[in-house]
Amino acid sequence: MSATPQKNRAARRVLAAAAGLATVGALVAAMPAGAHDRGNGHGNGHGHGHGHGHASRTVDVQLLSFNDLHGNLEPPAGSAGNVTKTHPDGTVEAIPAGGVEYLATSLRTARKGNPYSVTAAGGDMVGASPLLSGLFHDEPTVEALNGLDLDVSAVGNHEFDEGATELARLQNGGCHPVEGCYEPGKEFEGADFPYLAANVTEEKTGKPLLKPYTVWKKNGVKIGFIGVTLEGTPDIVTANGVKGLAFHDEVETINKYARELDRKGVKSIVALIHEGGAPASTSYNYDCDSPGAGDGISGPIVDIAKGITPKVDALVTGHTHQAYVCTVPDPSGKPRTVTSASSFGKLYTDTTLTYDRRTKDIVRTSVKSANHVVTRDQPKAADMTRLIDRWNKLAAPIAGRPQGWISADINGRGSTAPEKPLGNLIADAQLEGLAPADKGGAEVAFMNPGGIRADLVHKASGSEGDGVVTYGEAFTVQPFTNMMNVVDLTGAQLVTALQQQVSGANEAGPKILQVSRGLTYTLDLTKSGADRVVADSIKLNGEAIDPARTYRVAMNEFLAGGGDGFPALGQGTNKLVGASDLDLFNAYLAAHSTASTPLAPPATDRITVIR
């Protein structure tokens, strides 16, 4: 999902992205030569036909894939840690899922009996991470991915949150340039899988920032992987994160490198694309090929899939955090599998690619694929438990500090409603912290929904007790530590900004801002485009917005830069830079809750929705 960029965690750790471009050559040179054969040797496997002593013509290659892990090493808490399943009788079940201890077990179990098994990821493995990983610049997550035997990953937009320098370090290793090594005598080794970014180039030279593709090989079987992030990455990452970089069209880029692979004799190709779609149902077992192929999915990935050359045999996607296994026709009209495995390690996709040794291509009609739940009723992988325990000990002095108390779950990430209780709480915290004249004089605050990364959960995550909100839990909700801005906007600009939630870049996928108390309006979803926001219904403290009046508006620096498709918010003047969003959130929790009077979930009565 688009979100406030992750950057400068607890201590505003600024990295110069421009300086990182000098490391690009080293980044490419030091990468693994290819998605190497790990020689897992899980069982005897199976091919097709009767070889009578000869190798069969075809062999089944198992492709395991997942996406949008976002550093969730521990099981995600609350409703954000569930996947939904619809049963034949129409009832819907919420299944707790995720956590790398269980993901490792799921993947290792799935590989048994499949000697030709390759594991790939669709981007956003890091970024917007809980404190356990985020506090350490996601070194724990890269270490875990190495342990999961990940073979290759596309970059997502969040891989750019801290700029090219930090992305180079995640790939190549080395201790953090500011904070050094986190464990005495132990240097971060980096990713032992290649990150692919075929559509990201240096503006000055036009050269690729990272490898555009890699080829997985085993016993003469060759499968090429091309990785791209969404072309719109600069719109959802701060300017520093993408400074000096150009992002290109996904379809044109994949088609270009598919031709190159084909010329090199690699006929079997998988595209890893950090862009996705929206199935008509959020249930992971929804059939999005009903009534016809691809009928149950919409969003950017549909047009992308329809434009990608038939040379590509399957598409692993991400970004939207949705679960789907769909069939979308390629430009020649032939069916092609398009998959996504939700987020946070809650699902993995198991796809069978039947490789023809004679043609060196995938038998497209034989492709089978399904999503599987990473359930929490299976044994934990002991190596992942040790990894989590090790990093938790380092994080404990910060993570366990109480910040406040709540009386019940306050849903944010797990809420599908336009107005989220946690969104209201965050916006109120920002308004209260920045309303004093010497803090900016804010009259209203806006919070982008993608920047809310979790729920606040009443059940204790450790030994702190139920209802206690720890620093680690607050960090998991708002891991970016963005600085807050207060700016002047006219009433007309305010109205335009609210309309941009459902028009322009956000028309196909609305992004409903979370608003502070006092701002009310009607959202009419029966209409289209900007008309969905009923302009004459917008009021602040009961008074209609005056188009000519100037208002002081608080928002994080990402929104203040026009991010997430809100150019009107980027037109603010007379800017004052305040405290970080996380500091304001924690201050509000401390000021408004005690153990005996915990904070209750805010009412969601600011946006009236007509459907």
Side-chain angles (χ1 to χ4, degrees), residues 133-216:
S133 186
L135 189 64
F136 306 106
H137 292 272
D138 282 311
E139 289 182 21
T141 295
V142 173
E143 183 183 337
L145 293 171
N146 290 343
L148 290 176
D149 282 348
L150 182 63
D151 288 295
V152 58
S153 180
V155 294
N157 51 289
H158 282 281
E159 268 80 15
F160 292 94
D161 283 345
E162 294 192 40
T165 303
E166 182 63 0
L167 178 54
R169 191 180 74 88
L170 289 179
Q171 178 72 79
N172 298 330
C175 295
H176 191 271
V178 176
E179 297 174 17
C181 299
Y182 295 114
E183 296 177 286
K186 193 170 184 180
E187 183 169 309
F188 174 57
E189 295 181 355
D192 66 6
F193 55 90
Y195 265 121
L196 305 180
N199 64 332
V200 185
T201 59
E202 296 178 63
E203 286 182 339
K204 287 185 178 179
T205 67
K207 293 180 179 178
L209 175 68
L210 297 165
K211 291 179 64 171
Y213 60 79
T214 192
V215 180
W216 178 85

Side-chain angles (χ1 to χ4, degrees), residues 539-554:
K539 295 181 180 180
L540 182 59
N541 300 321
E543 295 186 5
I545 295 291
D546 180 352
R549 194 197 136 187
T550 296
Y551 295 84
R552 292 292 283 167
V553 183

Side-chain angles (χ1 to χ4, degrees), residues 24-33 171-172 191:
V24 167
L27 171 58
V28 174
M31 275 199 220
Q171 178 72 79
N172 298 330

